[in-house]
Amino acid sequence: MPSTTTTTRVPGFYRLTPDERLDIVTKNCNLSEDETKYFSGEYALPMDLADSMIENVIGQIGIPIGVAANFKVNGKDTFIPMATEEPSVVAAASNAAKAAYDLGGFYTSMSGTIMRGQIQVLNVADPFAARAKIFEHKSEILQRCNEKDPTLVSLGGGAIDLEVNIIQTTNSLMLIVHLIVDTKDAMGANAVNTMAESVAPFIETITNGRVVLRIISNLADRRLVRARAVFSAEALGGKEIVENIVNAFEFADFDPYRAATHNKGIMNGITAVVLATGNDTRAVEAGAHAYASISGRYRSLTKWEINNDGNLSGSIELPMAVGIVGGATKTHPVAKASLKIMEINSAEELAGCIAAAGLAQNVAALRALSAEGVQRGHMSLHARNLAVMAGAHRSEIDRIVAQAIEEKDLRYDRILEITKTIQRGD
Ligand code: MEV
């Protein structure tokens, strides 16, 4: 049951210790003792579970999970778990979300949960007639597909339609059959690939051709998520910064060199949530970048405008093939607990939160780039890491970092000296 009491506005959240933060999230989101232990690292991923996930397992790599604060998504306060190795990402998302919170937060919608399976048919003598024949057999093809996944059908999903394209390649004409499958709360790769493989011999019989590839398409253009939010101009730093952000967006929208970096920043947020929930990061990334170039030019995944109140109005639209059933989403204990933190009940809700994180991440990057640049934040995190390496105690780190930044000297040997001086009490 979604909790109505969760508040993501926790002043000074970033200043707490990891245990204190986990305690707040545990209480807000009713995590069990076991779930808390998985987050805290007290329970590692069991080796036999790891061994059942991939091959040749020898261990695991720990990636930190942070929770972004200040998110309100479709009227509900939602902590957003983010797994990433990159400093500044979680802080940036939280700061950006704060600038949208009092203006209503994020609103999201989804075009559906429909994926495509592609079946490549070669050596068809009469592809146009074969295309017509496939449509004559549409209901039988769909029925054969759906027999492979009665569970999905019982949940209201399954194969619902067909498309057939004829493509002229350098060497031949190919017939490409698209199975259109509603995968509901599953990401859908297993369901779609099974259907495509099972129906392939029937397609060969109908077309007198030779089927080779049978695989899902990651350009999930019938599974688009959209999110929008208004960010306070005052919180972002004023009118000039807002104008700079809009210009930064236009730069990306018209220049693929910039768009690649701009969209990479968006994916910093998106991939972190996709990973935290055990979903397929590469599928989402492939879909995002393919969709960014769907017009024939590689463009920004977001749009930024100034609204009538002078505030910054942002929106994002991209394919979002994520699920909450199947795969690691249901087997990995941290992925399951991440979904619980977000109080997610459907793939659509999850997609909305992910898109919100991407939008927030983008405005945070554009704000920093339009004002002081990204290095200041990065340098202080870098200095923190160096202070830890130099043996600084938690309570000493802020002083060491402040001094190193004031001196504009972030070399390790200087940070070591500062650390020793502070520890000697000089
Ligand atoms: C760095 O990980 C992401 C940025 O480069 C994104 C951007 O340039 O918009 C800061």
Side-chain angles (χ1 to χ4, degrees):
M1 270 296 283
S3 149
T4 48
T5 53
T6 298
T7 173
T8 56
R9 296 283 291 112
V10 188
F13 191 62
Y14 68 97
R15 275 196 233 103
L16 304 177
T17 65
D19 285 344
E20 287 167 340
R21 289 187 207 111
L22 182 56
D23 196 44
I24 290 177
V25 172
T26 300
K27 289 194 178 120
N28 262 282
C29 307
N30 299 321
L31 297 186
S32 69
E33 207 175 309
D34 275 354
E35 286 162 341
T36 306
K37 284 186 174 160
Y38 275 115
F39 274 120
S40 69
E42 211 173 309
Y43 289 174
L45 181 67
M47 201 62 152
D48 54 349
L49 180 55
D51 198 37
S52 70
M53 289 173 72
I54 63 163
E55 306 71 40
N56 298 359
V57 165
I58 58 162
Q60 53 189 283
I61 180 170
I63 299 279
I65 292 200
V67 287
N70 307 324
F71 274 81
K72 190 189 323 198
V73 184
N74 299 320
K76 191 176 93 180
D77 275 36
T78 309
F79 283 113
I80 309 282
M82 304 176 83
T84 180
E85 89 304 338
E86 184 168 332
S88 303
V89 165
V90 183
S94 304
N95 284 336
K98 189 155 72 178
Y101 190 91
D102 289 336
L103 296 175
F106 298 81
Y107 292 92
T108 73
S109 65
M110 191 130 197
S111 68
T113 45
I114 290 167
M115 301 296 290
R116 294 166 187 273
Q118 294 192 293
I119 301 174
Q120 178 201 34
V121 198
L122 303 177
N123 308 126
V124 182
D126 50 352
F128 291 95
R131 180 174 185 271
K133 277 193 218 160
I134 289 173
F135 282 121
E136 285 159 33
H137 291 84
K138 174 171 149 177
S139 44
E140 193 179 346
I141 293 170
L142 297 181
Q143 191 190 333
R144 284 174 182 244
C145 290
N146 285 330
E147 277 163 11
K148 286 280 149 194
D149 203 332
T151 314
L152 183 58
V153 174
S154 74
L155 294 169
I160 54 169
D161 204 359
L162 288 182
E163 288 174 10
V164 187
N165 301 325
I166 295 168
I167 58 172
Q168 173 69 66
T169 70
T170 316
N171 297 316
S172 63
L173 274 186
M174 290 179 194
L175 199 70
I176 310 296
V177 182
H178 284 193
L179 297 178
I180 309 294
V181 183
D182 191 344
T183 65
K184 295 289 175 195
D185 281 333
M187 182 273 181
N190 273 333
V192 171
N193 293 342
T194 305
M195 288 179 183
E197 287 187 11
S198 73
V199 85
F202 187 48
I203 300 277
E204 284 186 330
T205 311
I206 298 170
T207 58
N208 266 325
R210 186 167 64 89
V211 168
V212 186
L213 270 59
R214 299 141 293 165
I215 189 75
I216 197 165
S217 167
N218 289 123
L219 176 49
D221 60 351
R222 293 186 62 176
R223 200 172 191 169
L224 298 178
V225 64
R226 300 181 174 100
R228 68 178 169 89
V230 175
F231 298 83
S232 144
E234 195 192 333
L236 292 171
K239 186 170 179 281
E240 194 183 326
I241 291 200
V242 167
E243 284 167 3
N244 288 349
I245 292 174
V246 174
N247 280 324
F249 147 64
E250 291 197 0
F251 176 14
D253 214 30
F254 282 84
D255 176 351
Y257 289 96
R258 173 59 204 149
T261 322
H262 174 101
N263 287 343
K264 187 273 184 186
I266 294 171
M267 299 314 285
N268 278 345
I270 288 183
T271 301
V273 192
V274 174
L275 183 60
T277 57
N279 273 287
D280 184 338
T281 52
R282 289 81 54 218
V284 171
E285 282 161 3
H289 295 294
Y291 194 66
S293 47
I294 203 145
S295 66
R297 183 175 87 222
Y298 183 82
R299 302 180 63 174
S300 165
L301 289 164
T302 51
K303 306 266 181 235
W304 294 101
E305 304 157 303
I306 300 175
N307 73 7
N308 284 335
D309 301 327
N311 290 320
L312 183 68
S313 177
S315 54
I316 184 168
E317 176 178 297
L318 77 165
M320 192 52 66
V322 290
I324 61 163
V325 295
T329 55
K330 271 286 182 262
T331 54
H332 196 298
V334 175
K336 280 195 289 184
S338 290
L339 290 175
K340 186 161 169 190
I341 286 182
M342 285 189 279
E343 297 170 333
I344 290 294
N345 292 309
S346 67
E348 177 171 344
E349 277 181 52
L350 174 59
C353 289
I354 294 173
L359 187 62
Q361 206 68 52
N362 187 219
V363 72
L366 298 187
R367 203 212 66 81
L369 290 167
S370 306
E372 75 275 4
V374 289
Q375 279 316 85
R376 196 165 83 188
H378 278 178
M379 288 328 273
S380 79
L381 272 154
H382 178 58
R384 289 188 87 77
N385 286 336
L386 293 179
V388 172
M389 273 168 62
H393 186 264
R394 209 187 142 79
S395 59
E396 298 158 352
I397 292 176
D398 284 347
R399 261 179 79 196
I400 298 165
V401 170
Q403 186 171 337
I405 286 183
E406 196 187 306
E407 290 177 12
K408 296 195 172 62
D409 190 345
L410 298 188
R411 282 170 309 137
Y412 176 68
D413 49 355
R414 179 60 194 139
I415 286 186
L416 186 63
E417 258 171 45
I418 301 173
T419 306
K420 283 189 177 152
T421 310
I422 286 178
Q423 287 177 341
R424 280 197 306 267
D426 297 356

